[in-house]
Amino acid sequence: MKIFNFHLMPYAHADLEAIKRLGTSWMTYPNSYYDPKKGADLYHEYLDQLEFADELGFDGVAVNEHHQTAYGMMPTPGVLAGALARRIKNGKLAILGRALPLVNNPLTIAEEFAILDNLTRGRFIAGFVRGIGVEYHTMGMNPAESQERFLEAHDLIIQAWTRPGPFAFEGKYYKFKYVNPWPRPYQDPHPPIFTPSSGSLSTIRWAAQHRYTYCQTLAPIASVAQTFKLYREEADKFGYQATPDQFAWSNAIYVAESDEKALRDVRPHLEAYANEFLTRDPVMMAPPGYTSVESIKRMRALKSFMAGRSTAEDMIARGIVIVGSPNTVREKLAQYQDMAGFGISLTKTQFGTMPHQMVQENQIAIAKEVLPYFKDRLPQPTKAAAE
Amino acid sequence: MSPVESFVDLDDCRIKILRAGQGAPLVFLRGTDASDDWRPCLDELARRFDVIVPEHPGFGGQPKPKWLDRIADYANFYLDLFDHLGLTGVHLVGQGMGGWIAAELATRDTRRIASLTLVDAQGLWLDGVPTLDTFLCTEEKAITDQFHDAKLGEAEIARRLVPESEDIRLNNQVVIAQTTWQPRGYDPHLRKWLHRIDVPTLIVWGAEDRLLPQAYAREWGRLIPGSKVEIIAACGHMPPIEKTTEFVNLVSAFAAERAVA
């Protein structure tokens, strides 16, 4: 298993009471709550953490993109990846991912990613996403065009990376007389492509068709396993067998001396993450056309489920996060790997309000107690899977 | 009076048309509430006009036409429809999004139009005038916000938000987003050409419209040469429903004065 250190870079000093009152940490949570002095310190701490992860032997580091939210301070992840590109000496550098439909000119993403691939001499991983629903409000893009724009932007970027330029591109949304980007990617034909998603069937099918690594965003392990199974079935239909490196599970891990201490330490930060930083109005999240009518109906039905507060115990029990002693964490990670069959773990070592020193201790513990045990570990067939 | 229902196949799509009454043709373009039911205001109008209510392409469970990207596409489609139906001397009335379509249409070609009535129409942007974002509220709230009288809003919620129509409503929303999401509810190019509208134009507005405050009525009035602005008191975004009699009287009187012989 490859274990990446994934960061969301939350604004850890967010006013949790204000978020509760407003019912969201996205879009309408006023940016007057952002203190640049505190924010600057956080950026440096978070970048230090990712550089530290590389020194500790994590297989890679990853950042992502969200807009107008305290949940994550990386609206232009390329800037953060650029800051990391000369410091990450060993592992991969991944942006998981950039939201293709949110830009008017996807060639800028082809260029940005190609630079990062050159800077890392071929250790860059390119993540392509559509962005979440609220981003169609904050970026002023039409959600009804999201799917089509994503597919067209993807085609344009792949062509820009692989077709000798200059050539003309005439799409419905993107039209260029000249496509001839410099630099070209370092990797041949292009960086590996990861597709993070919350599990929409169309994305799963599309990723399977292109053999892109599918990353499941934060979800209970049972549903992760179900989603990966769907991908495998789709891969079968496309005439090949999917391998573990095509599956990445996005999780959070916290290790301490004992299960009790780990839970005690992690509770306020994990619960702030799940209940405040993630808080968003369901209407914001489901703009028309962003998902199918069926998905919107499913989301509406889930409204009551989303209303309750998550506890740390609940998130641990459902296998959304792994928290505990070294033994517990190793056992669960192995068990979950066998259950879901992933070859990549995208692991947050910081979440919510967790402070710098605690994160570093967690990183050290994971590097010492977890990484060595999973170095070449592949999913083992489980009894349930064999049946 | 029950309307006659028919279907027209045109421009690679199929639309439903409800039609009732006799007299000069009055085409009523609905707003985003587009459902295919026949409201009392249409009955009233049908006493004096040949009332024609087309369902917008892509609404009512029909697939979204390939050519539909923006409101201007609807305007061109309705010009095709008027040709197809051979209509002349049309009194064109549009509410909300339908008003936007009607205005776009009238900047292009008024040869078949006798008069234009815009009712709480979308399509313009005024700096500094607060408007509501209907994409950022629940379906219930979106309806409540359309009415000045809260009781009417409740009645509309009960009437419209029924489980049987959920799929159609959600599909309509996709078409509404496709055409009005960005820029949100207006087209910056429209105002440049409103001076081209050369038919008598009436602007009808609910004084208490929270979606588009009445400053918008004045702006339409300013931009369309010779147009007349009528503000209906104690009325929200939906004068045809909230103040049926006043709305029908205004439209009828205006059209009667400008009837094409």
Side-chain angles (χ1 to χ4, degrees):
Chain A
M1 185 192 301
K2 303 280 183 218
I3 301 182
F4 284 39
N5 198 345
F6 182 33
H7 221 305
L8 295 173
M9 302 202 180
Y11 182 65
H13 305 294
D15 182 334
L16 302 185
E17 289 308 313
I19 292 172
K20 272 181 209 158
R21 210 164 49 239
L22 289 160
T24 178
S25 66
W26 299 69
M27 188 163 83
T28 51
Y29 174 48
N31 64 2
S32 49
Y33 284 96
Y34 178 84
D35 177 338
K37 292 198 176 61
K38 291 178 178 170
D41 288 346
L42 285 175
Y43 276 120
H44 286 290
E45 287 175 11
Y46 293 159
L47 289 169
D48 286 346
Q49 288 162 20
L50 292 177
E51 290 170 12
F52 189 41
D54 191 55
E55 289 165 26
L56 288 169
F58 279 79
D59 293 293
V61 299
V63 295
N64 78 349
E65 171 182 341
H66 287 298
H67 297 266
Q68 302 188 11
T69 175
Y71 174 84
M73 306 190 294
M74 300 187 286
T76 54
V79 172
L80 285 312
L84 289 165
R86 280 167 54 86
R87 298 291 195 101
I88 301 301
K89 305 282 190 193
N90 308 302
K92 306 278 189 191
L93 175 61
I95 296 182
L96 302 177
R98 282 223 64 185
L100 309 187
L102 298 184
V103 296
N104 279 312
N105 181 355
L107 280 180
T108 60
I109 295 176
E111 293 170 337
E112 175 188 306
F113 281 8
I115 294 171
L116 288 164
D117 201 34
N118 278 260
L119 284 178
T120 57
R121 292 201 171 85
R123 283 178 290 115
F124 181 68
I125 293 172
F128 292 165
V129 297
R130 287 203 290 129
I132 61 174
V134 62
E135 268 132 17
Y136 289 79
H137 285 282
T138 56
M139 295 297 278
M141 295 305 283
N142 198 322
E145 297 173 349
S146 168
Q147 296 263 14
E148 283 185 1
R149 278 182 183 267
F150 177 80
L151 297 176
E152 192 176 307
H154 162 270
D155 293 349
L156 171 59
I157 291 170
I158 298 297
Q159 285 187 34
W161 282 345
T162 56
R163 252 178 93 177
F167 61 87
F169 186 92
E170 181 69 19
K172 176 173 178 189
Y173 299 100
Y174 314 111
K175 299 160 177 71
F176 295 96
K177 180 84 180 86
Y178 303 102
V179 180
N180 186 31
W182 288 62
R184 288 196 294 121
Y186 190 92
Q187 296 174 82
D188 185 18
H190 55 71
I193 290 166
F194 282 25
T195 53
S197 167
S198 56
S200 90
L201 186 58
S202 60
T203 304
I204 293 168
R205 186 174 298 136
W206 180 83
Q209 183 188 354
H210 290 82
R211 308 191 182 203
Y212 294 156
T213 295
Y214 178 85
C215 318
Q216 177 62 41
T217 56
L218 215 68
I221 191 64
S223 85
V224 174
Q226 196 55 39
T227 305
F228 290 169
K229 185 165 163 271
L230 281 173
Y231 183 115
R232 279 188 206 92
E233 288 167 7
E234 292 299 322
D236 289 342
K237 288 183 208 159
F238 288 110
Y240 75 96
Q241 206 170 0
T243 50
D245 60 349
Q246 283 174 274
F247 300 100
W249 175 41
S250 176
N251 55 45
I253 294 181
Y254 185 78
V255 179
E257 296 89 82
S258 67
D259 289 355
E260 295 71 29
K261 181 174 187 310
L263 177 62
R264 202 166 57 235
D265 289 352
V266 90
R267 180 191 301 284
H269 311 297
L270 189 56
E271 293 185 356
Y273 167 65
N275 297 306
E276 272 76 53
F277 286 92
L278 263 173
T279 304
R280 49 217 183 186
D281 176 351
V283 175
M284 262 182 205
M285 291 310 301
Y290 173 75
T291 48
S292 68
V293 164
E294 282 310 311
S295 304
I296 289 179
K297 283 162 77 177
R298 212 160 47 228
M299 279 177 81
R300 283 180 171 183
L302 282 173
K303 213 159 65 179
S304 53
F305 159 80
M306 288 171 72
R309 281 184 75 80
S310 301
T311 63
E313 283 90 343
D314 176 53
M315 295 180 72
I316 295 165
R318 292 162 65 211
I320 298 172
V321 298
I322 304 179
V323 173
S325 68
N327 244 334
T328 301
V329 170
R330 283 193 296 265
E331 274 174 24
K332 286 198 176 168
L333 186 57
Q335 182 200 337
Y336 294 166
Q337 185 186 26
D338 297 344
M339 239 175 104
F342 52 87
I344 300 163
S345 171
L346 303 171
T347 299
K348 286 183 281 294
T349 54
Q350 191 284 344
F351 32 86
T353 48
M354 192 186 286
H356 188 49
Q357 197 189 332
M358 195 173 158
V359 178
Q360 287 182 313
E361 285 165 10
N362 186 30
Q363 289 179 298
I364 292 168
I366 292 171
K368 184 162 163 258
E369 305 287 358
V370 182
L371 295 188
Y373 297 84
F374 286 85
K375 203 119 203 85
D376 299 306
R377 192 181 191 282
L378 289 170
Q380 312 294 310
T382 59
K383 221 178 130 211
E387 274 162 7
Chain B
M1 194 181 305
S2 60
V4 176
E5 182 181 300
S6 66
F7 288 86
V8 169
D9 292 298
L10 185 65
D11 294 338
D12 301 318
C13 67
R14 158 162 291 208
I15 61 158
K16 178 153 69 180
I17 292 178
L18 299 177
R19 194 165 184 168
Q22 278 179 344
L26 185 150
V27 173
F28 188 96
L29 299 180
R30 297 175 190 272
T32 53
D33 63 313
S35 53
D36 65 354
D37 61 346
W38 189 258
R39 310 303 300 252
C41 68
L42 298 172
D43 263 340
E44 291 299 317
L45 289 170
R47 293 176 198 278
R48 293 155 206 162
F49 301 97
D50 170 14
V51 176
I52 301 164
V53 186
E55 187 158 60
H56 302 313
F59 276 70
Q62 295 291 333
K64 182 163 79 75
K66 283 202 173 62
W67 47 258
L68 182 64
D69 293 304
R70 55 203 195 110
I71 289 294
D73 292 320
Y74 272 141
N76 288 330
F77 170 81
Y78 282 118
L79 285 171
D80 273 357
L81 182 71
F82 292 179
D83 289 347
H84 179 83
L85 297 176
L87 299 175
T88 53
V90 172
H91 297 292
L92 179 60
V93 182
Q95 190 274 330
M97 189 184 93
W100 181 0
I101 299 169
E104 288 273 6
L105 185 156
T107 61
R108 285 168 168 70
D109 184 356
T110 53
R111 277 172 295 182
R112 294 183 182 277
I113 311 293
S115 77
L116 173 68
T117 301
L118 305 179
V119 188
D120 298 74
Q122 285 187 307
L124 295 180
W125 167 258
L126 271 179
D127 257 340
V129 178
T131 55
L132 291 181
D133 185 355
T134 52
F135 288 115
L136 206 52
C137 59
T138 59
E139 278 189 294
E140 287 80 2
K141 178 79 166 48
I143 293 177
T144 307
D145 284 337
Q146 289 178 346
F147 294 92
H148 176 61
D149 179 351
K151 278 208 265 334
L152 271 176
E154 282 165 32
E156 278 293 295
I157 288 170
R159 203 180 61 79
R160 272 157 61 180
L161 300 189
V162 292
E164 303 84 70
S165 67
E166 190 183 23
D167 279 32
I168 285 182
R169 295 196 318 266
L170 288 170
N171 277 308
N172 287 355
Q173 278 299 317
V174 177
V175 178
I176 294 164
Q178 175 69 61
T179 49
T180 73
W181 180 279
Q182 181 71 17
R184 196 63 59 90
Y186 72 99
D187 182 339
H189 302 287
L190 174 60
R191 65 165 57 234
K192 298 188 294 194
W193 303 108
L194 288 174
H195 66 267
R196 280 179 49 80
I197 297 179
D198 56 358
V199 290
T201 299
L202 172 67
I203 316 294
V204 178
W205 221 269
E208 309 297 333
D209 187 340
R210 294 198 290 280
L211 273 73
L212 295 168
Q214 53 168 291
Y216 276 89
R218 316 261 175 232
E219 186 70 354
W220 282 108
R222 193 178 70 77
L223 290 167
I224 300 179
S227 60
K228 185 175 165 190
V229 177
E230 294 279 2
I231 307 289
I232 301 182
C235 180
H237 185 64
M238 304 288 279
I241 298 175
E242 185 149 18
K243 295 286 177 187
T244 302
T245 309
E246 279 155 277
F247 169 75
V248 168
N249 288 344
L250 281 172
V251 171
S252 304
F254 188 76
E257 288 167 32
R258 281 134 192 109
V260 172

